[in-house]
Amino acid sequence: MSAPGPILDVANIEVIYNRTVQVLRGLSLAVPRGQVVALLGSNGAGKSTTLKAVSRLLEIEDGALTGGAIRFDGQDVAAFAPHALVRRGLFHVMEGRRIFEDLSVEENLTAATFARPGGRPSRGFALVYEYFPRLFERRSGLAGYLSGGEQQMLAIGRALIAEPQLILLDEPSLGLSPILVEEIFSIIARINREQGTAMLLVEQNAAVAFAVSHYAYIMETGKIVIDGPVERLMHDADVREFYLGLGAAGQGRSFRDVKHYKRRKRWLS
Amino acid sequence: MEGFDPLFFAEVTLAGLGSGALLALTGLAFVLIYKATRVVNLAIGEMLMVGAYLFFAFAAGLGLPAWGAIPLALAGGGLLGAAIERAIIRPMLGESPIAIFMVTIGLGSVLVGLVEIVWSPNPTQLPDFIGAAPVFLGEAYVSRKIAVGFAVACLVIAGFLLAFRTWRGGVALRATAADQAAAYSCGIDVPAVFCAAWALAGVAAAAAGILVGAVGGISPTMGVFGLSALVVVIVGGLDSVAGALVGGLVVGLLEAWSGTFLGGEYKIVATFSLLLAVLVVRPYGLFGTAEIERL
Ligand SMILES: Nc1ncnc2c1ncn2[C@@H]1O[C@H](COP(=O)(O)OP(=O)(O)OP(=O)(O)O)[C@@H](O)[C@H]1O
Ligand SMILES: [Mg+2]
């Protein structure tokens, strides 16, 4: 029995690293059940930090939640150890894939079975191999020898093993060729559609994130600055110009705006 | 060296391999803890010693047969490892590696003190459970205790390696050793894995202790065997299981050869020369990975 309301509710959180550096300053967002929500922002804005605060992996890096509250499925995440949260259905696919390189592909999936109560995914590894047939071909090889794209597939595959209600996906497009990005994102969309899994998707590549998301938040230096349904943001002049690198722009803008634009342009798709 | 006697050389070599296997087993216990938890555990020799005394207590004190006393002593060693993790190491999580390293040194002294209080500081013999009939490999003579010690150590090591590969908990252990945060993200209970690593190391150390004690007798100071094991893991690489096994055999052979052909006082010189040579050429050990932090 699940509580009504969003699967994830982040209210006004503040995060500090090493007891000194404040990275998040009153950030709020929500992920409705079964939906994909994008979280966009420039390098160092605090996107990964937000995900780590939610999955409670923050403490391992000497970060601390100093204000606000995070509710997953109606319950404060502070009440659970990171692995306990995973077992409750919140899976964090970390930035940089973080597969176990010295373990085989199959052993990587076995590691994720610890996320399942009783240690058994209901369909074994079949579901993963259905979405990622290439992992099946390479199942007994060392994960470290997989290509970047295959490693990303394995990272998402581990999440599938857990059969979670919510996946936190940190920059799945990182370092992948455009074709692979498209392939991975079409599978992400399929997983959401077919499994009903909600996702909080962190991306630098705004265009591709918009293509699979229902709602998006844009953050800067630790706070949300713009948010809205993707259809609306896609037609918003500022968002088109600054975050998608499209649209009629330029005329009548001050130099300061142009500089602003260049600063942001670094992370355009 | 006039009059090289190949048979004698073979016998010394076999004896060296025998003690090398025990060093390898002790090294494995050390590596298990280091790999999973990044704790440099200098009390490994004393954990070994406690294992030997537990066997002594069950076999001599309670008069149990070996097949009863051995599993009990191994279980006791495992419990000791788990208890050390829960009571001493876990509360120190996040402290500097040096602080934890110093605590394990202190822990070693405490274990020696406790054993002296409970059993007396005097050396004694374990009840014999191996027998004395010599073993011949071809023409070469090997003491039965060393031969059995070698065989059992190899079996225990093989059992551990097999478990790491095939058992689901072994996957959790290797995943945790590789990347703690990623292990957490897969739903692995990382603190429980730490505890399990200490418990398994306690079992391995107790097994080594029983074998070492069976060969050479026991005393509260037999933990100095752990020093040779430390040389083994530094030579092999603190985080390498393969390194512990190869390093154990190499150091065992080196000690046997130098002790026999050069004289007992050269044993230490030879092993520490090896240690220095390896550290100069490969600071993180023959099989270790480069990221090992310096102490
Ligand atoms: N473990 C840490 N200790 C100290 N500071 C950190 C730590 N992790 C991140 N930071 C700092 O927090 C800020 C936000 O980092 P974060 O990784 O959340 O950014 P991000 O939005 O994910 O950026 P990117 O797009 O580059 O991944 C950065 O200034 C970073 O230097
Ligand atoms: Mg990031």
Side-chain angles (χ1 to χ4, degrees):
Chain A
M1 205 187 63
S2 50
I7 184 74
L8 180 70
D9 183 20
V10 175
N12 225 4
I13 57 168
E14 318 213 328
V15 165
I16 292 185
Y17 280 114
N18 308 318
R19 295 183 194 81
T20 46
V21 195
Q22 180 158 13
V23 173
L24 298 186
R25 309 151 196 277
L27 177 135
S28 301
L29 58 79
V31 180
R33 288 169 196 277
Q35 297 215 347
V36 181
V37 171
L39 176 60
L40 313 174
S42 53
N43 282 120
K47 305 179 298 293
S48 300
T49 302
T50 306
L51 297 194
K52 284 184 278 189
V54 171
S55 64
R56 304 213 59 225
L57 291 175
L58 202 55
E59 277 144 70
I60 301 175
E61 298 186 15
D62 205 13
L65 190 69
T66 54
I70 300 171
R71 295 186 159 270
F72 169 70
D73 205 6
Q75 281 182 296
D76 194 333
V77 298
F80 303 101
H83 62 271
L85 271 180
V86 183
R87 292 173 190 179
R88 296 183 74 83
L90 190 163
F91 200 100
H92 185 171
V93 178
M94 288 191 287
E95 189 170 17
R97 333 192 206 291
R98 304 286 283 269
I99 52 144
F100 306 114
E101 298 190 357
D102 297 335
L103 272 59
S104 72
V105 168
E106 207 145 66
E107 285 172 334
N108 267 270
L109 297 178
T110 301
T113 61
F114 284 88
R116 294 290 303 160
R120 296 217 153 272
S122 38
R123 295 183 44 207
F125 299 160
L127 187 67
V128 177
Y129 293 143
E130 246 169 62
Y131 283 104
F132 304 108
R134 252 191 281 175
L135 292 182
F136 181 73
E137 288 159 29
R138 314 211 45 181
R139 65 192 177 282
S140 46
L142 275 193
Y145 294 146
L146 295 178
S147 72
E150 289 162 347
Q151 292 190 0
Q152 187 63 60
M153 293 174 188
L154 181 55
I156 297 173
R158 288 195 308 207
L160 281 172
I161 293 289
E163 298 168 38
Q165 291 178 271
L166 172 66
I167 301 180
L168 311 175
L169 262 177
D170 200 341
E171 293 203 41
S173 74
L174 194 75
L176 301 186
S177 70
I179 290 196
L180 265 175
V181 171
E182 215 177 294
E183 184 179 342
I184 298 254
F185 272 79
S186 69
I187 295 173
I188 289 173
R190 256 184 70 203
I191 292 172
N192 166 252
R193 225 174 30 241
E194 297 169 0
Q195 311 297 319
T197 315
M199 302 189 192
L200 178 55
L201 169 65
V202 159
E203 258 305 330
Q204 301 261 356
N205 186 333
V208 77
F210 277 176
V212 300
S213 302
H214 303 97
Y215 197 93
Y217 292 86
I218 298 176
M219 69 181 293
E220 257 172 43
T221 56
K223 297 201 273 292
I224 301 297
V225 289
I226 308 174
D227 69 291
V230 164
E231 307 87 77
R232 204 187 80 215
L233 293 186
M234 288 217 290
H235 297 103
D236 182 289
D238 283 347
V239 173
R240 284 177 69 83
E241 182 181 343
F242 296 144
Y243 297 95
L244 291 169
L246 314 160
Q251 310 98 321
R253 297 213 166 248
S254 74
F255 179 65
R256 206 177 57 82
D257 284 338
V258 175
K259 246 174 56 184
H260 200 185
Y261 169 72
K262 283 204 171 129
R263 187 158 60 73
R264 287 168 169 181
K265 193 171 178 198
R266 268 178 290 139
W267 57 272
L268 289 179
S269 56
Chain B
M1 220 186 302
E2 72 280 10
F4 178 75
D5 177 353
L7 185 59
F8 182 57
F9 180 77
E11 287 174 352
V12 172
T13 302
L14 287 173
L17 287 176
S19 66
L22 299 181
L23 283 171
L25 182 55
T26 315
L28 175 71
F30 179 96
V31 167
L32 202 55
I33 291 176
Y34 183 81
K35 242 177 122 68
T37 70
R38 303 281 134 171
V39 168
V40 173
N41 174 24
L42 283 200
I44 197 72
E46 283 70 29
M47 288 169 68
L48 172 154
M49 179 269 299
V50 171
Y53 270 90
L54 286 174
F55 174 74
F56 179 73
F58 292 124
L62 299 181
L64 294 179
W67 57 261
I70 289 175
L72 284 175
L74 295 182
L79 276 178
L80 174 71
I84 293 173
E85 196 278 334
R86 291 307 295 265
I88 302 172
I89 304 298
R90 192 172 302 183
M92 292 198 68
L93 220 79
E95 304 277 340
S96 82
I98 306 220
I100 301 179
F101 164 88
M102 300 303 271
V103 162
T104 65
I105 297 182
L107 172 69
S109 314
V110 170
L111 290 177
V112 170
L114 285 176
V115 167
E116 286 184 353
I117 291 170
V118 177
W119 282 283
S120 106
N122 302 321
T124 178
Q125 294 296 316
L126 287 182
D128 179 56
F129 61 96
I130 292 177
V135 176
F136 284 93
L137 283 178
E139 282 175 54
Y141 159 85
V142 197
S143 131
R144 183 178 192 84
K145 284 174 174 159
I146 289 182
V148 170
F150 177 84
V152 172
C154 288
L155 277 178
V156 174
I157 290 170
F160 270 103
L161 295 187
L162 200 68
F164 295 155
R165 293 286 138 196
T166 54
W167 169 49
R168 195 164 153 265
V171 171
L173 196 67
R174 283 153 62 216
T176 304
D179 186 336
Q180 261 178 49
Y184 262 126
S185 84
C186 286
I188 292 170
D189 185 346
V190 171
V193 171
F194 285 1
C195 196
W198 274 85
L200 289 175
V203 172
I210 297 170
L211 295 172
V212 171
V215 174
I218 61 173
S219 76
T221 54
M222 71 187 278
V224 291
F225 186 79
L227 275 188
S228 296
L230 201 64
V231 173
V232 164
V233 292
I234 295 175
V235 166
L238 294 184
D239 62 349
S240 166
V241 171
L245 306 187
V246 175
L249 295 182
V250 168
V251 172
L253 284 175
L254 196 65
E255 282 188 353
W257 286 334
S258 58
T260 309
F261 297 113
L262 301 175
E265 66 276 21
Y266 283 94
K267 254 178 154 175
I268 299 259
V269 179
T271 45
F272 279 86
S273 307
L274 170 72
L275 182 70
L276 281 179
V278 168
L279 283 181
V280 168
V281 184
R282 286 180 66 92
Y284 35 85
L286 294 178
F287 297 83
T289 44
E291 33 118 328
I292 295 175
E293 44 200 308
R294 316 209 127 241
L295 273 173

